[in-house]
Amino acid sequence: EGQTVLRKSAVPSLSLVRYAKCGDFVGPPRFSAEDYELCASQPSQAEWYWCAETGNGIHELTHFWIGSALGDYGFLCPWFAPPNLSKTLQGDFIDKSTSPNDPIF
C-alpha cells in the first residue's frame, strides 16, 4: 500500500486505477483500419509515434479519457486541464510515462 508502480502519481494501489469522469463524452473517435494504415505506413519510428500521438484520438485523448484523475480534476470535470493533473492523483493510463506500446494500450 502507498507504493507507486511505474507511476508518477502517488496512487496508493498496486492494481490498475481509473477515476470517474464528468459529462456525457462517450470516448475518442474509433481508430479505423484507415487510421492504422496511415500510422503503419510512416517511414520512421518518430513519424509513427507522432501519428499515434495525434491521429484520431488514439493516444493523447485516450489517456485522458480512460485514465482520468481524482475528483474535480477528472476528465471534463471543472478543474480538468493537463497542467492541473500534477495537483491530484491520476489514473494509470493518464500518466505520460506510458507510451503507445504499453501492453494495456
Side-chain angles (χ1 to χ4, degrees):
E1 186 174 340
Q3 298 177 14
T4 58
V5 180
L6 300 176
R7 296 176 174 130
K8 289 184 193 176
S9 184
V11 175
S13 174
L14 295 176
S15 300
L16 289 175
V17 175
R18 303 291 185 258
Y19 288 108
K21 302 155 192 56
C22 295
D24 296 328
F25 183 73
V26 294
R30 178 188 289 193
F31 190 69
S32 68
E34 291 80 17
D35 295 323
Y36 172 84
E37 289 298 329
L38 176 67
C39 290
S41 69
Q42 297 305 306
S44 71
Q45 196 276 334
E47 289 170 288
W48 171 86
Y49 191 91
W50 185 247
C51 181
E53 179 74 25
T54 60
N56 204 8
I58 185 175
H59 189 201
E60 183 86 11
L61 182 60
T62 302
H63 275 282
F64 294 143
W65 182 64
I66 293 176
S68 198
L70 184 64
D72 286 341
Y73 294 92
F75 186 73
L76 297 182
C77 296
W79 291 100
F80 175 79
N84 290 339
L85 294 176
S86 63
K87 300 175 184 177
T88 191
L89 297 178
Q90 302 171 24
D92 290 328
F93 207 62
I94 205 168
D95 190 326
K96 287 302 200 172
S97 294
T98 61
S99 69
N101 62 353
D102 185 311
I104 297 171
F105 192 85

